[in-house]
Amino acid sequence: MEETKAPPAQLRGLPSVDRVLAHPALQLLQQHYQREMVVGLVRRHLDDVRTALRQEGGPVPTVVEVAQAVARRAAARWHPSPQKVINATGVIIHTNLGRAPLSDDAVEAIRQTAGGYTDLELDLEEGGRGSRQAHVEDLLCQLTGAEAALVVNNNASAVLLGLAALAAGKEVIVSRGEAVEIGGGFRIPDVLRQSGARLVEVGTTNRTYAADYEEAITEDTAALLRVHTSNFRISGFTHSPTTEELVAVGQRHRVPVLHDLGSGCLLDTTQFGLAYEPTSQDSVRAGVAAAFFSGDKLLGGPQAGIVVGQGEYIRRLARHPLARAVRIDKLSLVALSVTLIHYIKGESVQKVPVWRMVAATAAELRRTARQWAKQIGPRAGVAAGLSTIGGGSLPGETLPTWLVAIDTGETPGGAVALAARLRAQAPAIVARIEEERVMLDPRTVQPDEEVALLIGVREALAGSAAPGRQS
Ligand SMILES: *Cc1c(COP(=O)(O)O)cnc(C)c1O
């Protein structure tokens, strides 16, 4: 029935694949990319045009229009991606923007490791086979006080591996208030099911006691699982046992306690005026069998899942077949080792971008915001505001900051249009909108991004997006 809208005669007016390929813009494209790739793109584009004409009608595009559209499609697709973005949102661990940026040293280590061979699984002293875990296990044990450690692809896979290795076919007891969804489809009940373990919920949404766990323990219980409710906060009439209390229950019944910490940071967040975020050290000290956390949240390293705990349990995880399926790659591994060494040296607040951003003071940020506002021009002013941690860490916690506030006044499209023009810059600039103004938070912009940011903002304000992505 859609055929009736655009008669076949009109579709026949569409240029042929050969005529489009002969256009100079596509001749140029064929010098840079394989001919068959360009031909494929032309075919796909003509198919899309045909579908649109059938459904919506309208004028048939000329050869020039088709050639230019194909060239734009090639430019939009055939470049390295994901691409660099300047984060001016003030959300430090922004999952959509790739979470934690790495330290300069970690980036350099990745460059060196990526471009050559490494001792990834070679023992250089003995000349025999080594373990990729050896590169970070000692560092993690030293930093957290744990007996053993294991790193895998990400924290979700670490938790899945832990449950599969220790509890498949058996019961795992979880508080009703902690059977949560972390985001991106990671739901504790689903992960438990995937691992082959059975979920036993105890307590209530707001109050669960150590005795609730204890009463639910049977011969089939393989573990008590504690989950840090990292992306929301319940307050008021609430109770949950301490990790120590849970460990005491576990010890009485010889049942291991597993702790999904989420962010699992190594520093005390209260020194920055934030609420307390559970540290990996505290969890280890409390005596859990295994604590699980991410490499790219408050640790400030690469994507990774880190497990620290008691040797007998960590060894069972390492031996499980899933461990091979979720193993960490060499680039993340070297970045993780460099990040951990920043903590060992006591230089994490200076060198790890996440902590540098957390530690930046309102006075410093105000100075930067004022400088930027001056350079951006009369539309820009400064305003007090709030930065957040993000990444499902420290929900509701904020850090006082100073924002550059750009008034879009009568410009067409207002703040939404300006934000879109900022995203079209190269590199793209991601800002936030508050009260019809575009806000730039200096807290999450790195020093070497300042010049590009200011150029991009001026370009966007002038209404002429830099060609960037089209080049
Ligand atoms: C973020 C988070 C996860 C998932 O970690 P990834 O590293 O993203 O896989 C699991 N559990 C909790 C409690 C989290 O906060």
Side-chain angles (χ1 to χ4, degrees):
M1 95 200 160
E2 284 160 358
E3 313 281 326
T4 54
K5 282 197 195 157
Q10 193 190 0
L11 285 181
R12 277 204 297 274
L14 258 186
S16 69
V17 172
D18 285 339
R19 279 186 64 210
V20 176
L21 286 172
H23 187 274
L26 292 203
Q27 290 289 305
L28 194 67
L29 210 56
Q30 287 169 77
Q31 283 169 23
H32 292 286
Y33 302 101
Q34 289 194 71
R35 186 186 144 82
E36 65 203 83
M37 294 296 139
V38 179
V39 172
L41 203 58
V42 171
R43 288 223 167 91
R44 207 156 353 139
H45 185 72
L46 287 174
D47 281 347
D48 291 350
V49 170
R50 241 175 251 120
T51 309
L53 283 174
R54 281 203 195 95
Q55 288 174 355
E56 293 146 34
V60 176
T62 62
V63 177
V64 182
E65 284 167 343
V66 173
Q68 283 171 348
V70 170
R72 273 198 303 275
R73 251 169 118 148
R77 283 177 191 197
W78 294 342
H79 65 78
S81 189
Q83 59 184 316
K84 181 176 171 61
V85 161
I86 296 177
N87 175 10
T89 64
V91 182
I92 296 173
I93 305 168
H94 200 306
T95 295
N96 299 150
L97 302 184
R99 289 198 183 153
L102 297 174
S103 73
D104 291 342
D105 294 345
V107 171
E108 176 54 23
I110 286 184
R111 204 191 61 75
Q112 291 202 13
T113 305
Y117 298 102
T118 73
D119 64 341
L120 181 63
E121 291 186 354
L122 177 72
D123 182 332
L124 285 175
E125 261 172 52
E126 307 287 329
R129 197 190 156 124
S131 157
R132 68 176 64 208
Q133 299 296 333
H135 301 282
V136 290
E137 184 170 14
D138 277 353
L139 298 172
L140 284 166
C141 291
Q142 183 97 47
L143 285 165
T144 63
E147 218 172 85
L150 180 77
V151 292
V152 294
N153 182 65
N154 62 347
N155 189 34
S157 62
V159 174
L160 178 66
L161 170 64
L163 292 169
L166 304 177
K170 298 190 122 195
E171 290 173 356
V172 173
I173 303 176
V174 182
S175 161
R176 275 212 169 76
E178 297 179 0
V180 297
E181 172 174 323
I182 303 304
F186 185 86
R187 292 176 145 192
I188 290 297
D190 297 340
V191 175
L192 266 158
R193 199 170 314 117
Q194 279 301 319
S195 73
R198 286 193 306 281
L199 169 67
V200 175
E201 282 189 27
V202 295
T204 61
T205 315
N206 57 331
R207 289 175 83 87
T208 302
Y209 301 87
D212 294 325
Y213 290 86
E214 189 147 25
E215 282 160 21
I217 291 176
T218 69
E219 287 194 339
D220 262 354
T221 305
L224 311 183
L225 174 64
R226 182 178 182 83
V227 182
H228 180 46
T229 54
S230 53
N231 56 0
F232 70 100
R233 210 159 52 175
I234 65 167
S235 55
F237 189 59
T238 63
H239 181 86
S240 62
T242 63
T243 308
E244 286 82 356
E245 286 173 315
L246 265 195
V247 168
V249 170
Q251 278 169 353
R252 277 200 289 280
H253 301 270
R254 299 170 166 271
V255 174
V257 173
L258 310 179
H259 194 177
D260 178 6
L261 284 161
S263 210
C265 75
L266 295 173
L267 298 186
D268 176 3
T269 45
T270 61
Q271 65 182 300
F272 305 106
L274 294 165
Y276 168 77
E277 172 79 9
T279 66
S280 324
Q281 302 90 296
D282 287 348
S283 188
V284 167
R285 201 176 307 119
V288 301
F292 305 80
F293 55 102
S294 291
D296 54 357
K297 291 183 178 171
L298 277 172
L299 188 78
Q303 179 185 307
I306 301 168
V307 196
V308 294
Q310 297 170 9
E312 60 167 304
Y313 295 105
I314 301 293
R315 278 192 293 278
R316 280 167 66 186
L317 268 62
R319 280 197 305 262
H320 191 276
L322 255 186
R324 173 64 178 79
V326 297
R327 81 174 177 192
I328 190 166
D329 80 289
K330 63 180 178 180
L331 303 184
S332 303
L333 192 60
V334 75
L336 181 60
S337 84
V338 172
T339 306
L340 294 173
I341 290 168
H342 289 316
Y343 287 91
I344 299 256
K345 286 183 168 173
E347 61 185 21
S348 54
V349 178
Q350 292 78 40
K351 296 249 175 132
V352 175
V354 162
W355 289 115
R356 214 165 47 208
M357 291 172 186
V358 168
T361 65
E364 288 161 18
L365 296 164
R366 185 179 199 180
R367 241 185 335 267
T368 309
R370 282 186 166 159
Q371 272 168 16
W372 289 4
K374 210 179 319 162
Q375 299 196 36
I376 290 168
R379 292 234 203 122
V382 300
L386 299 169
S387 315
T388 56
I389 306 296
S393 310
L394 291 165
E397 285 296 304
T398 54
L399 293 160
T401 192
W402 283 85
L403 307 163
V404 173
I406 305 174
D407 227 316
T408 47
E410 322 75 57
T411 47
V416 172
L418 178 59
R421 281 201 299 278
L422 287 169
R423 289 196 308 274
Q425 301 298 313
I429 298 164
V430 182
R432 64 179 203 240
I433 297 174
E434 271 171 25
E435 293 163 4
E436 295 298 305
R437 291 182 301 175
V438 169
M439 302 292 204
L440 307 172
D441 189 338
R443 188 185 294 278
T444 48
V445 177
Q446 309 220 61
D448 65 351
E449 296 170 338
E450 254 186 58
V451 173
L453 173 88
L454 293 172
I455 292 174
V457 172
R458 281 201 295 256
E459 287 270 349
L461 276 172
S464 54
R469 284 186 205 168
Q470 323 271 309
S471 64

